[in-house]
Amino acid sequence: MAKRHPGLSERHRKIMEFLTKFQETHGYSPSIRQIGDSINVKSTSLVDYYLNQLLEMGYIERENRISRSIRVVQPVKAESELPGKVAEALRIAGNALSDLVRIPIAGRIVASAPLPMPTSDLNYYDAESSVDIARSLLPTRDVSDLFALEVSGDSMIDAMVNDGDIVVMKKAASANNGEMVAVWLDDKDETTLKYFYKEATRIRLQPANPNMKPIYVEDPKSLRIMGKVVLVIRQIKSVAG
Amino acid sequence: MAKRHPGLSERHRKIMEFLTKFQETHGYSPSIRQIGDSINVKSTSLVDYYLNQLLEMGYIERENRISRSIRVVQPVKAESELPGKVAEALRIAGNALSDLVRIPIAGRIVASAPLPMPTSDLNYYDAESSVDIARSLLPTRDVSDLFALEVSGDSMIDAMVNDGDIVVMKKAASANNGEMVAVWLDDKDETTLKYFYKEATRIRLQPANPNMKPIYVEDPKSLRIMGKVVLVIRQIKSVAG
DNA sequence: CTTGACATAGGACGTATGTTCGTGTATGAT
DNA sequence: ATCATACACGAACATACGTCCTATGTCAAG
């Protein structure tokens, strides 16, 4: 095959597509070996060989001895990708911006102390920390009296809530049956998360863990509802690559 | 803890500026040592230290052990280069995408069966169901191999995961110590969620609930890692008013 | 005074990664 | 047949680069 100015071979094209796509999704360039994998070539030298050709032809640029330094000069794309992708991107964009809610983290929730409540109503913006939540995860459209707490310690374990979890709550002083609430128990001097059930003569506080027994409160006054739990989020750390 | 928006120190700011500028002029990210040079620091560990802070604060992203993989999340510079509507569309899309991520729900996770995996690579859009997650909640920018599962039944309780919870996972066949993984145990014929620790002669699977005892697996072959757990979400239902 | 969190330096270590060389196999031109 | 050339594999090699451990100093809280 006489090789002059003419077009790219199948391999060249594949490499260019891979480079473009990889950059797009990862934000940096692939290594030689990764490129090799993408075109089923095990030899790094062969990839180098093609890369030099592409370089010569002006499709890419790279620096000597610098990892992942390939730049795509002339993007080669499968045309079918673009229109749909842009459209999709725009669709998401439209939804996304309005569908994200920033919820202030009011503090930490521990068993031994009452709930920290958000200082004022609307200090969302200067709150030291906050969580962003997709609105679709929230049960209510009204976001104004939501706040979040970070769980400290293992004391909420019977609510299936662990140290480090974030609970999103809605301010409330009363609750309906079946809702999960944060309550302060005067008798025990502690804050706890339980499912709330008002029964005929008493109130039943049911742990989320079905293996555990409920607490019964005879006197409604010895129990103070602080809020309703709306969402629990647990981020598992140390997951990177 | 979630995303904070605190002030950057002088060093942080300088690093961010350098990253932005370097990317702009070179088309790829600087190495740790190059960053060090730019702020007159000879120790790579110190740069790493700052980088981790910036990572935590959400200003940058990087992949483990990958050269020059730093990405600037909040570009400090304007993007007045690309002309036309497409560029504008992409700009908006870019912003939006960095806020919200749509993750397909591949199915249900039950103890008695292996994990359902996403059919194809990128069917985010036509997936029957999906969850929207704020990107700030995810540990990685690379969202392409994330998928979600709905938990069915009480069998994951010792992982502090309850019926109806949604677990967001990252495809993986191996894991590092301390990561929470979904594993299939040949001996027991079940899927379970555990913290993964490789010890000298065996593998320790530690339940999230600190009150429960770990499982030890002597033969690595009798255990199949299906993915790493990235996020667990519990929506408490029946909260209306 | 002690302790612990934070900031900083230096460097060992292992691996990720680009470079290069030797070799082999077609194919077409001489 | 011989030779040049494009294409391909694999391995050795050097080094670019990220990770991580140790040590030191500072400063505020206990």
Side-chain angles (χ1 to χ4, degrees), chain A residues 27 29 41 45 51 67 82 108-109 140 145 178 198 205 225:
Chain A
S29 286
V41 161
S45 57
L51 250 26
S67 307
L82 228 89
R108 292 167 171 276
I109 175 174
T140 149
D145 48 10
K198 185 173 178 65
L205 296 176
I225 296 179

Side-chain angles (χ1 to χ4, degrees), chain B residues 191-222:
Chain B
T191 301
T192 175
L193 301 177
K194 293 279 186 302
Y195 283 105
F196 178 92
Y197 290 97
K198 186 176 178 62
E199 302 187 338
T201 65
R202 61 188 181 183
I203 288 166
R204 188 173 98 242
L205 297 177
Q206 186 84 39
N209 185 330
N211 297 330
M212 319 219 43
K213 295 223 170 107
I215 295 178
Y216 294 101
V217 177
E218 308 291 339
D219 178 14
K221 289 183 197 67
S222 71

Side-chain angles (χ1 to χ4, degrees), chain B residues 11 43-46 49-50 53 67:
Chain B
R11 280 253 164 101
S43 164
T44 57
S45 58
L46 186 55
Y49 174 68
Y50 283 123
Q53 291 181 343
S67 306

Side-chain angles (χ1 to χ4, degrees), chain A residues 32-76:
Chain A
I32 299 249
R33 272 160 256 255
Q34 285 175 319
I35 298 172
D37 287 350
S38 83
I39 55 171
N40 282 313
V41 161
K42 276 136 289 187
S43 166
T44 57
S45 57
L46 187 55
V47 176
D48 190 52
Y49 172 69
Y50 284 123
L51 250 26
N52 282 328
Q53 293 179 343
L54 288 169
L55 187 89
E56 199 116 334
M57 294 188 276
Y59 283 92
I60 62 169
E61 291 171 344
R62 52 196 296 229
E63 312 293 335
N64 278 347
R65 286 161 195 285
I66 302 238
S67 307
R68 297 168 181 276
S69 61
I70 298 175
R71 280 165 306 212
V72 174
V73 178
Q74 299 179 31
V76 172

